[in-house]
């Protein structure tokens, strides 16, 4: 691997990525292009521009973009079509954002003639994998620089020294170590590390950043209606909205009602377990709603097939294989299933829970005529069930007969 | 099929199964044996004895049994080892009880020399399938009689007329139609039909029978600790209990906090959709706790494999294939995974939610030494991740290179 | 179910379907439309027209069609994209033809205003299921008549009597029972029943109809090249051909070399086992070739995912669910994988075997540069493997450490 | 990682592992223990002892063992219970031997107080992964040394120079490069690399080492009978034999008839494709026979479940995860299925093919009474099929009705 000449850095404007920026300049003597994305993390982006300029980045090398709509439309929503949960519980809020960042890094590298990209993820986590697999899948020639795996700035003290030595501004509250590490975007906020490393100890309330505690949530439930078209949410309470607007609105509703908190110990792709505190208010509501609408619009064949491949799909996203043939194959399967997932779900939001209380659709497969306990006017002939059961039982009977025969023989 | 001479009937003591009892006597002229099981449905069993005697059943033909421990130990707990959910949400409370009933029906048939068994399930539902597949799997020669599929008592009026004509006592509140149909056992209560047939309409509060509404639940959370051994709950708050006692206690706790309600539209095995209201208070707590302990005791290989086969396992139980080779094969896989699922989970119960807030175990795979953000004393070499990622990326790079080559040619 | 007024019958022109034709007329007094398809079964179709006319069918009610191209293009080829084998060995030659026949029956019913379709499959087999599931999926209002499940012509004698009574011509060799039952189309010939019912006894040579025995095959191998585009065969030995022409040619080649015989005991969907003798000469060659081209054009992610869903896909086709959401979802997944399955395979055909001996493609992912035992000029850094292995091993080490710790304590 | 003090080396006695032996001594100054296993590779082991002694290994540090029975009984047979094929075709002959070697290396390390093990696999292949994952899973503290990833002996010339410099005897035919690389054990022989690296070019006949070409095989077929108990072969032609004896005998039979050759391009775990020529004569016969006996002893539920997890099981073995929780879980599932896989299969061996021509068993589920085309005396009621089909069709009808309704609405 030759030394990179021009590097596109995923740049937040914070202290750590500022140190990386400077380190790239000094270590490799390379030109740095910064990419700062608004993924809905709730921070102003313009300060990142000022900071980048201060650190000597040419203005044509500063990319600041609002990618929230693309994020929700092309990443979050496709994932929610599968009712995706990693290890039964986790909504993959961090995982799903990484491929989009890598995609833009690689695209900007092409635009600017850069030969490398760089990210601020450590060598212990999943994010490095996600960033790099995506980058390599999109450009097999690209170099990826992961400073945390390379440098010797292995303590807070060394980092601060490096920052001071290179005139990187240090906010007062950044001198000490943060009590835990935070990642946020429009889908979720995750907190992990340090104060949260003991999985036996309850996470303190101050960890939570975008949801009130269920105890602090309103004492009255709130009812909302979410409308779907082909598997994607398109309206709340009858008002059509763009993907990012819908997720923003659901976050607001979910957060207010203390919905979407998760204290979770998960298996990282790199082989160790970690504990995270996740807040996914809008996503939690959206998952419940999507399941509600699928209940009446998907038949058993489609629904069960989707369910059976979901764990693998979730694993692929978690492990960083968004841009892989197998994820795209599974997506083709999932998207095929969503053609009639259109209709409206009514949900009750109350003190930490989002629960479906009603659902209706022009595409409904629910047939009151068939299921009714009342007279069904011949819609269903109960005698059919006898043959259905007898043929389903036939192989079980043959087994039992065999077992009996063998047992008698001894 | 020759006419049955002696039939073992799953008998609740209620009006419907009393009518069936009498109908069997009159239609087939056969001797009837009654089997009434305490599965934790919360009803006295002795009245069933009196009722059976009144209807002419010989006392040696009346079987009344408390099978709660067997139910939880041999059916509910094995199922929970898999974190089983049907269609993403349903804890299978009805499904899991049917094989046990069939097993006892077939065993009693053998003891009493009966050549048939009978049940009170209708021809539209899943329970007929579950009863009958289990019965045939356990005795391939047994006859199964399903009066609802055979007789012409197709309206409430005709049933009442039949009851009156045969001196079957009719409780006053049973003359009219119930507003919905209820099934209950130690794991859950289900309500469906009639008043609940419109899946768009919220189920009224009076439907719920063993959980308070979240709004009525205590304003203070309650914390409990559930201890597991090899995947099964064995103690609550440090107090060892039998399986049925544990589930009873969890039901009490869950019910008090409004936990475990589900408004659900599901796909029946017989091909139609139905809407049910389920209450599974203890089971919902148990599932959350079991997931919590698996988080630290199962590695990714075991956990993901379990997750991937769970939907199929759930489908088998739902469809009535408990006594089938494939369910037993999956059970062997699941049980193998539970050998080290031992430890304790701390849960918060509050207004409809049970959430894990801590877990610990002598069998924990969580390694703070590896995951820590702090100096890890060489437990983990971050440079390993570079090779890990590069080899995981290799095939993606080869694909990208191929695609680029083809595009350039094309 | 009201009596049908007009029925479209899948009509072969043979004795059995002629009896059905007449039985429909006499039993239901209904108008009959005949549909006779050339699926490559190797029989003249025009005699069926004469026979139908003789039995009183109006000429506008006689449909005779060559559907071979549609059969191969829209049914056989999509199935082969998945390397489909039922129960590890069977190429589904009968199963895949049924949905096409049902599709045309339903379409002709619409064109002719018929309210029912009829087929000649018995009540013991899979074909009835396949015909009827397809028909119902394409027209939920259609009636399906399966005379073999309804009538009392339950012996050869009764059938012959009925034929004689209704002036149905009986070929001399049809008076007695055939020694076994045969089904054929462009993909395969199956033989089953009667003389073949003992699965311990080797099938006699005279059963085989379109393959020579390996012993009788040429003593010299023959080499051929099959070219694929997007997963479908498009040329043999460089000569472009239509789908049906390719399969015809492969049949000729395979049959000549004794390829594609299978003596098989399978699990029918209706619950029993049956034994069949299958001959799929061209299909066997095609499967081998398709695997050969996938070997260099599919990566592990795509290939392994395909492999993992194939058994389910095969089961769906075998069981008659071609026209189902889940088959279509799986097809979407499979088709997505085939976008680059383009290239050529060289095969050796010799005395019962078709084996790949070479393959090449512009879309190849095989990289001699990477795999070479020789100096690779930096294409691959062997040191990467160390990190790759260490992180893959991490969870296994954590398990071993846990087990050791527990054992020491215990 | 501290320098190893004592290393157990997987030692063949050949030039390459002799160089490794000496390199370990000189590079690390460590004591070397050699382990040479008879896995049925067909080479004398005693020369390895002499060679090791010559290279200065103390006699108590030389382990030479015949592990053929353990190999077949505990590794090959369990794998064959699953009808395991990697990527549809490969019988995993190399993969399945590696865990056994690692197991003995780790055990000998414990016995001899060694702190490391070493192997001669390169950094490009799968074998390094298999050796090391197994070693780490069995002893999380063990060091693994892979000289090919570490040293600078990167050309044949350097290797020979090193050997000469260290008085390692060099057989004349080892001075030049072998035209391809060979691995062999009782299950198979693999050949790959160099002369075989072009996947378009047919492998020359001289590559094959333990099978005659089909053209050279006898002109008369040979018939044999293989008997199974609980899924494992126990006798050939009625003669009971030990596992390794059976496989040896099947190899002889298969090899004589040109059975079990495979020209294959596979996906390595490390991300690249490679081409191998495999000869698995006995294994190919065994797989065919095992399938034959399963055809009559497994029902559809068991068989289809096995089929559906097989690709994952194969992938685990191929990737080196034999000693992993998930492989053991899948094994539990598979073994559960084999309880009644007992009986005898008759096979025809002829010019490259092994085909089942008959099978019988006391445990057979095949019921001629049910399947017969003749009068079945009420074993099966064809009318049951009508209900069976109608209920299987119900959801398809509901979908079709929905689609029609939606289409009409427009």
């Amino acid at each position: 691997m030759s030394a990179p000449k021009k590097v596109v850095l995923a740049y937040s404007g914070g202290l750590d990525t500022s140190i990386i920026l400077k380190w790239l300049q000094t270590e490799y003597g390379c030109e740095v292009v910064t990419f700062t994305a608004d993924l809905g993390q709730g921070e102003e982006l313009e300060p990142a521009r000022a900071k980048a300029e201060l650190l000597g980045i040419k203005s044509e090398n500063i990319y600041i973009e609002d990618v929230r709509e693309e994020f929700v439309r092309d990443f979050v929503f496709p994932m929610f079509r599968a009712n995706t949960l990693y290890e039964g519980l986790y909504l993959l809020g961090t995982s799903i954002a990484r491929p989009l960042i890598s995609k833009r890094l690689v695209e900007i590298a092409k635009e600017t003639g850069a030969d490398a990209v760089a990210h601020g993820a450590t060598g212990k986590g999943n994010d490095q994998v996600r960033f790099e697999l995506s980058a390599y899948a999109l450009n097999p020639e690209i170099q990826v620089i992961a400073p945390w795996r390379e440098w010797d700035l292995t303590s807070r003290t060394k980092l601060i020294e490096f920052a001071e030595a290179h005139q990187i501004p240090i906010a007062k509250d950044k001198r000490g170590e943060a009590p835990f590490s935070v990642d946020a975007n429009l889908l979720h906020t995750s907190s992990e590390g340090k104060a949260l490393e003991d999985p036996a100890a309850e996470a303190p309330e101050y960890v939570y950043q975008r949801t009130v505690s269920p105890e602090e949530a309103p004492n009255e439930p709130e009812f909302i209606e979410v409308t779907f078209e082909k598997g994607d949410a398109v309206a709340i309470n009858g008002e059509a909205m763009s993907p990012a607007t819908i997720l923003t609105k659901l976050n607001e509703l979910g957060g207010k009602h203390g919905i979407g908190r998760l204290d979770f110990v998960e298996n990282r792709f790199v082989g160790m377990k970690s504990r995270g505190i996740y807040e996914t208010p809008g996503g939690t509501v959206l998952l419940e709603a999507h399941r509600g609408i699928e209940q009446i619009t998907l038949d058993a064949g489609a629904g069960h097939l989707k369910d059976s491949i979901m764990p693998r799909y979730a694993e692929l996203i978690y492990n960083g294989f968004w841009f892989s043939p197998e994820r795209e194959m599974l997506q083709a399967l999932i998207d095929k299933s969503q053609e009639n997932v259109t209709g409206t779900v009514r949900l009750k939001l109350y003190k930490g829970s989002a629960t479906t209380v009603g659902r209706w659709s022009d595409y409904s497969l629910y047939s009151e005529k068939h299921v009714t306990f009342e007279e069904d006017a011949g819609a269903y002939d109960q005698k059919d069930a006898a043959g259905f059961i007898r043929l389903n039982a036939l192989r079980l009977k043959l087994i039992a007969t065999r077992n009996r025969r063998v047992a008698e023989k001894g």
Side-chain angles (χ1 to χ4, degrees), chain A:
Chain A
M1 219 167 61
S2 56
K5 299 210 179 63
K6 194 168 182 178
V7 181
V8 187
L9 169 66
Y11 182 62
S12 72
L15 178 60
D16 285 11
T17 50
S18 294
I19 292 172
I20 289 175
L21 190 165
K22 188 53 73 179
W23 181 85
L24 288 170
Q25 291 171 329
T26 56
E27 179 76 11
Y28 292 110
C30 63
E31 189 176 352
V32 174
V33 178
T34 61
F35 170 58
T36 308
D38 185 352
L39 282 146
Q41 62 269 48
E43 280 173 16
E44 291 293 314
L45 299 191
E46 284 309 313
R49 182 187 307 276
K51 197 94 170 277
E53 283 170 350
L54 181 75
L55 294 169
I57 307 303
K58 288 182 270 181
S59 64
E60 70 266 28
N61 279 346
I62 300 175
Y63 284 74
I64 293 186
E65 300 178 5
D66 180 347
V67 296
R68 289 176 295 173
E69 288 295 346
E70 182 181 2
F71 176 48
V72 180
R73 184 188 65 230
D74 295 345
F75 295 82
V76 174
F77 275 8
M79 180 173 78
F80 272 77
R81 286 175 210 146
N83 302 325
T84 314
L85 288 171
Y86 181 66
E87 299 188 343
L89 292 167
Y90 172 38
L91 282 156
L92 292 170
T94 300
S95 322
I96 193 62
R98 301 321 190 193
L100 169 54
I101 296 172
S102 279
K103 176 170 165 277
R104 287 300 298 137
L105 289 175
V106 168
E107 288 168 350
I108 294 169
K110 191 171 183 194
E111 288 164 37
T112 59
D115 53 349
V117 298
H119 63 77
T122 79
K124 285 195 166 180
N126 297 301
D127 284 333
Q128 57 175 342
V129 191
R130 296 166 189 151
F131 279 128
E132 298 178 30
L133 293 184
S134 291
Y136 291 135
L138 296 170
N139 181 349
E141 311 289 335
I142 203 82
Q143 273 193 51
V144 183
I145 303 172
W148 285 97
R149 294 200 307 254
E150 295 188 26
W151 66 26
D152 54 1
L153 305 178
T154 53
S155 70
R156 198 74 204 158
T157 312
K158 288 185 189 165
L159 283 168
I160 298 295
E161 283 171 9
F162 182 93
E164 287 173 338
H166 292 86
Q167 284 83 44
I168 301 171
I170 307 173
K172 265 197 187 143
D173 63 341
K174 296 292 178 186
R175 292 215 160 247
E177 296 231 34
F180 49 87
S181 164
V182 175
D183 176 67
N185 60 47
L186 199 55
L187 182 55
H188 94 338
T189 297
S190 75
S191 303
E192 60 175 10
K194 298 170 190 159
L196 299 171
E197 281 178 13
D198 177 4
E202 186 173 1
E205 183 59 31
Y206 66 78
V207 171
Y208 296 95
Q209 316 206 347
R210 65 203 280 178
T211 53
V212 303
S213 78
E215 290 91 327
E216 299 303 313
N219 288 319
E220 294 301 317
E222 181 168 0
F223 291 83
I224 63 167
E225 292 177 9
V226 181
T227 298
F228 289 85
E229 273 179 26
K230 298 186 187 303
D232 294 339
V234 296
I236 297 178
N237 293 331
E239 187 182 347
M241 299 180 199
S242 74
T245 314
I246 280 192
L247 188 50
T248 302
K249 181 70 182 165
L250 291 177
N251 278 331
E252 186 192 312
L253 289 161
K256 170 183 165 193
H257 288 285
I259 292 166
R261 292 179 166 198
L262 175 66
D263 176 336
F264 192 50
V265 179
E266 76 206 50
N267 293 295
R268 286 191 185 158
F269 187 27
V270 294
M272 67 184 69
K273 286 183 178 293
S274 70
R275 193 262 197 105
I277 301 297
Y278 298 113
E279 294 167 88
T280 320
T284 302
V285 178
L286 184 60
L287 172 65
E288 174 69 16
H290 187 259
R291 276 181 168 150
I293 193 61
E294 284 197 341
Q295 284 171 18
I296 53 170
T297 55
L298 280 193
D299 78 301
H304 295 193
L305 176 55
K306 277 189 70 202
D307 287 351
S308 76
I309 59 86
M310 184 278 280
R312 184 159 189 175
Y313 178 80
E315 188 185 61
L316 287 172
I317 295 177
Y318 185 86
N319 288 356
F321 290 94
W322 180 265
F323 294 113
S324 71
E326 63 273 30
R327 202 280 307 170
E328 290 171 5
M329 288 161 65
L330 289 171
Q331 195 71 55
L333 179 151
I334 292 160
D335 290 355
K336 180 79 189 162
S337 75
Q338 302 292 293
E339 290 172 358
N340 294 300
V341 179
T342 295
T344 299
V345 178
R346 184 169 167 83
L347 300 132
K348 174 182 174 183
L349 312 182
Y350 179 66
K351 286 200 174 282
S353 300
T355 48
T356 297
V357 297
R359 62 301 255 171
W360 54 92
S361 167
D362 288 342
Y363 295 77
S364 179
L365 294 169
Y366 181 88
S367 171
E368 205 166 317
K369 191 177 68 174
H370 281 84
V371 78
T372 185
F373 277 58
E374 316 290 332
E375 175 54 46
D376 68 5
Y380 179 93
D381 182 350
Q382 299 208 20
K383 287 185 179 47
D384 285 345
F388 179 74
I389 295 171
R390 272 197 290 268
L391 293 205
N392 271 298
L394 181 49
R395 71 179 168 95
L396 303 178
K397 283 186 180 185
L398 290 169
I399 293 168
T401 303
R402 183 265 306 273
N403 293 351
R404 186 178 285 195
R405 187 182 71 229
V406 170
E408 279 164 9
K409 272 203 171 180

